[in-house]
Amino acid sequence: LNTYARAGKLFPGPHLYAGAGLVVLWAAAAACVPAMQKGNDTARTIHISANLAGIGLFAWQVTTGLPILYKVVELTKWP
């Protein structure tokens, strides 16, 4: 949101794609909860798989985000 508010656009790249994928996986995992409460084992498997894949995307998010963070720190004028 900060990038969009500041620059008026988003910059497509690995960091954006990893973050979007992570949001989709979190939504899928959350959507499985009502079925899991009813004892659906398939929903449980999907929930666990989505969260495991989410861990991988989160690691990708961190890895691709560090260069962005370093660039922001470098270009920021500190008081």
Side-chain angles (χ1 to χ4, degrees):
L1 181 63
N2 183 30
T3 300
Y4 184 75
R6 193 174 32 79
K9 63 180 180 176
L10 293 177
F11 300 96
H15 188 70
L16 178 67
Y17 301 139
L22 192 54
V23 169
V24 169
L25 288 175
W26 281 342
C32 291
V33 172
M36 288 186 338
Q37 290 174 334
K38 296 177 183 174
N40 187 330
D41 282 336
T42 303
R44 181 178 180 269
T45 301
I46 293 170
H47 178 83
I48 292 169
S49 299
N51 281 306
L52 286 174
I55 291 171
L57 282 180
F58 183 75
W60 185 16
Q61 182 82 354
V62 170
T63 304
T64 58
L66 285 176
I68 297 168
L69 174 66
Y70 297 148
K71 184 175 180 182
V72 168
V73 169
E74 178 184 326
L75 298 176
T76 299
K77 295 178 183 175
W78 301 97

